[in-house]
């Protein structure tokens, strides 16, 4: 049974004073929920930090509830249209485990429940009527908390209205609840594989999460020809050192999961103690870039506060221009000049 109370948690690990007091003033809205699979790994500090609530969540001085201004861009119920050519649909608020760093705390675990048939229909029609939308992110919450029947309905509704829209399955479930990925689930996915392709978007934050079971769950998608991409959140005390992330990315790549993004923590209330200074993030990015192949290297990205959108963070190598020559620094710190063509 998943862990939902301090009492059950206390049977597995000795809680610190701060972990015990996480709910003290009723401000903390993200429930405690840890799947069996994750509960069995709580002796690993990087896992514990991500799933065991802590009173530090109530001391955030910078965070806000909706730093990406998603509510402002909600054009239909649960449908966020922030970027011109892609939309995010909040399938459900539920997850198999609640990550303490969750950036959608205003919504996740609020008992809103799965989208209704009408909400799904309206979102699909919206995409149908907005031809500029090429991709639909199915997110939440975690879409795979839905029953097989509801998933079938969700996928077939989008396929009926927007057959040329690429559907991204954004899920942490392959990592936290691999047993969800049954043959009957995959047969529903296979049945809906018409028109535009599906993409699997995973969230692995630490090498320990790449268990045999998790890899098997991802393989179920790969075997159907569905490419897998990973989004990692940079987290203090979890993965904020280059060697851990290099190992993670190499192992992802080995398992045919392309490292896609490394996210700087969003300014979401309750997550300050898990955020990493940008300067440190840039140092980590630099070391990763020297040791990983281009294929293994994710893009270090910050989603700017007040709905500023995603921008990529990396060392700047273009440092100036003289006449028609651009001046670059090499990764080793030398200078090189590159002229624009004469005409
Ligand atoms: C991040 C995000 C996307 C997807 O952006 P990509 O850079 O294409 O991965 C789409 N919609 C919203 C609201 C997002 O936050
Ligand atoms: S799985 Fe995703 S949506 Fe759910 S709590 Fe974790 S980060 Fe938030």
């Amino acid at each position: 049974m998943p862990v939902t109370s301090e009492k059950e948690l206390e049977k597995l690990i000795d809680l610190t004073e701060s972990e015990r007091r996480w709910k003290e003033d009723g401000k903390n809205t993200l429930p405690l929920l840890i799947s069996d699979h994750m509960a069995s790994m709580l002796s690993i500090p990087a896992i514990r930090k991500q799933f065991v609530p802590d009173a530090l969540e109530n001391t955030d001085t910078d965070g806000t509830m909706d730093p990406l201004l998603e509510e402002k861009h909600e054009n239909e119920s649960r449908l966020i249209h922030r970027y011109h050519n892609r939309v995010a649909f909040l399938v459900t608020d539920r997850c198999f485990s609640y990550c303490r760093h969750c950036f959608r705390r205003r919504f996740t675990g609020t008992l809103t429940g799965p989208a209704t048939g009408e909400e799904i229909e309206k979102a699909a029609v919206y995409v149908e009527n907005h031809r500029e939308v090429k991709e639909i992110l199915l997110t939440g919450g975690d879409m795979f908390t839905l029953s097989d029947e509801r998933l079938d309905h969700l996928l077939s509704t989008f396929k009926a209205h927007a057959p040329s829209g690429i559907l991204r399955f954004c899920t942490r479930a392959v990592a936290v609840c691999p047993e969800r990925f049954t043959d009957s689930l995959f047969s529903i996915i296979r049945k809906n594989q018409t028109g535009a392709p599906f993409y699997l978007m995973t969230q692995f934050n630490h090498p320990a999460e790449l268990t045999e079971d998790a890899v098997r769950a991802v393989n179920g998608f790969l075997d159907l020809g569905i490419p897998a991409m990973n989004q990692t959140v940079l987290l203090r005390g979890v993965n904020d050192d280059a060697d851990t992330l290099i190992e993670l990315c190499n192992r992802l790549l080995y398992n045919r999961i392309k490292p896609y993004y490394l996210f700087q923590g969003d300014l979401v209330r309750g997550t300050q103690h898990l955020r990493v200074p940008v300067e440190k993030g840039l140092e980590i990015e630099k070391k990763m870039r020297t040791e990983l192949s281009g294929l293994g290297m994710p893009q270090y990205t910050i989603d700017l506060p007040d709905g500023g959108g995603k921008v990529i963070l990396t060392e700047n190598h273009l440092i100036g221009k003289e006449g028609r020559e651009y001046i670059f620094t090499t990764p080793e710190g030398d200078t090189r000049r590159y002229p624009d063509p004469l005409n």
Side-chain angles (χ1 to χ4, degrees):
M1 286 293 283
V3 175
T4 55
S5 71
E6 296 83 71
K7 238 195 204 141
E8 293 159 346
L9 200 49
E10 205 104 49
K11 285 183 202 153
L12 301 172
I13 51 171
D14 291 327
L15 293 178
T16 65
E17 188 52 30
S18 185
E19 287 169 339
R20 202 171 289 121
R21 288 188 294 104
W22 73 280
K23 234 187 332 196
E24 55 187 358
D25 51 8
K27 266 195 302 189
N28 202 332
T29 55
L30 188 68
L32 160 60
L33 177 66
I34 308 176
S35 65
D36 290 330
H37 187 72
M38 271 355 212
S40 72
M41 293 166 68
L42 287 176
S43 60
I44 302 167
I47 303 295
R48 179 174 181 150
K49 275 241 145 163
Q50 292 183 74
F51 297 106
V52 175
D54 196 298
L56 287 171
E57 292 170 38
N58 309 325
T59 60
D60 192 337
T61 53
D62 298 324
T64 60
M65 283 317 277
D66 185 16
L68 312 184
L69 299 193
E70 290 193 328
E71 282 176 354
K72 188 181 138 197
H73 293 103
E74 196 166 325
N75 287 4
E76 289 287 354
S77 177
R78 296 176 184 248
L79 191 77
I80 301 161
H81 196 175
R82 165 67 180 83
Y83 300 102
H84 178 68
N85 69 338
R86 49 212 192 274
V87 293
F89 184 61
L90 307 185
V91 172
T92 176
D93 66 302
R94 286 219 36 209
C95 303
F96 291 104
S97 297
Y98 291 114
C99 313
R100 307 321 297 177
H101 56 268
C102 183
F103 78 106
R104 205 168 273 140
R105 272 179 177 239
R106 68 184 162 81
F107 177 73
T108 342
T110 51
L111 303 179
T112 325
T116 62
E118 194 187 339
E119 284 171 320
I120 295 170
E121 182 82 16
K122 280 195 169 158
V125 169
Y126 180 93
V127 175
E128 187 176 16
N129 293 335
H130 288 75
R131 304 311 291 265
E132 73 276 18
V133 175
K134 308 293 183 209
E135 294 176 42
I136 304 130
L137 285 69
L138 299 177
T139 180
D142 200 304
M143 62 182 289
F144 291 108
T145 58
L146 259 55
S147 66
D148 286 359
E149 293 70 33
R150 278 185 190 266
L151 271 174
D152 192 14
H153 171 257
L154 174 77
L155 299 181
S156 57
T157 306
F158 275 104
K159 284 298 178 190
H161 287 283
S164 56
I166 292 173
L167 288 171
R168 289 197 209 174
F169 300 158
C170 306
T171 181
R172 185 128 165 78
V174 286
V176 304
C177 191
E179 66 270 28
R180 170 69 186 94
F181 297 90
T182 56
D183 290 347
S184 70
L185 171 57
F186 283 121
S187 67
I188 282 163
I189 292 172
R190 192 183 315 114
K191 192 180 97 185
N192 286 287
Q193 271 187 307
T194 57
F198 296 138
Y199 273 70
L200 176 69
M201 311 300 290
T202 62
Q203 182 193 147
F204 289 99
N205 295 327
H206 189 274
E209 294 168 26
L210 273 167
T211 59
E212 245 174 71
D213 290 336
V215 169
R216 194 177 310 124
V218 173
N219 280 341
F221 290 88
L222 295 170
D223 291 348
L224 290 176
I226 299 171
M229 308 276 155
N230 186 68
Q231 309 190 144
T232 296
V233 186
L234 183 61
L235 296 166
R236 179 183 299 207
V238 173
N239 59 14
D240 58 340
D241 78 284
D243 290 341
T244 302
L245 287 170
I246 289 166
E247 186 192 340
L248 173 67
C249 291
N250 277 326
R251 286 187 49 194
L252 286 166
L253 201 57
Y254 186 85
N255 287 293
R256 297 182 287 169
I257 308 165
K258 161 82 183 100
Y260 175 49
Y261 277 138
L262 172 64
F263 282 122
Q264 173 66 21
D266 291 326
L267 273 190
V268 175
R269 184 172 299 154
T271 62
Q272 188 172 43
H273 62 298
L274 295 168
R275 294 198 284 271
V276 177
V278 171
E279 196 175 357
K280 184 169 184 188
L282 281 167
E283 272 171 32
I284 290 172
E285 197 266 358
K286 189 174 178 178
K287 180 156 188 222
M288 289 171 74
R289 201 170 279 283
T290 60
E291 295 197 18
L292 286 165
S293 71
L295 208 50
M297 183 67 199
Q299 290 185 301
Y300 180 35
T301 299
I302 182 167
D303 216 325
L304 293 171
D306 293 325
K310 291 183 179 75
V311 291
I312 292 163
L313 294 166
T314 187
E315 191 183 6
N316 181 27
H317 289 282
L318 177 56
I319 56 170
K321 192 177 181 200
E322 274 172 22
R324 63 185 183 92
E325 285 189 335
Y326 294 94
I327 306 166
F328 290 93
T329 55
T330 69
E332 289 77 28
D334 303 334
T335 305
R336 293 288 190 278
R337 286 165 176 265
Y338 177 97
D340 265 345
L342 271 170
N343 45 45

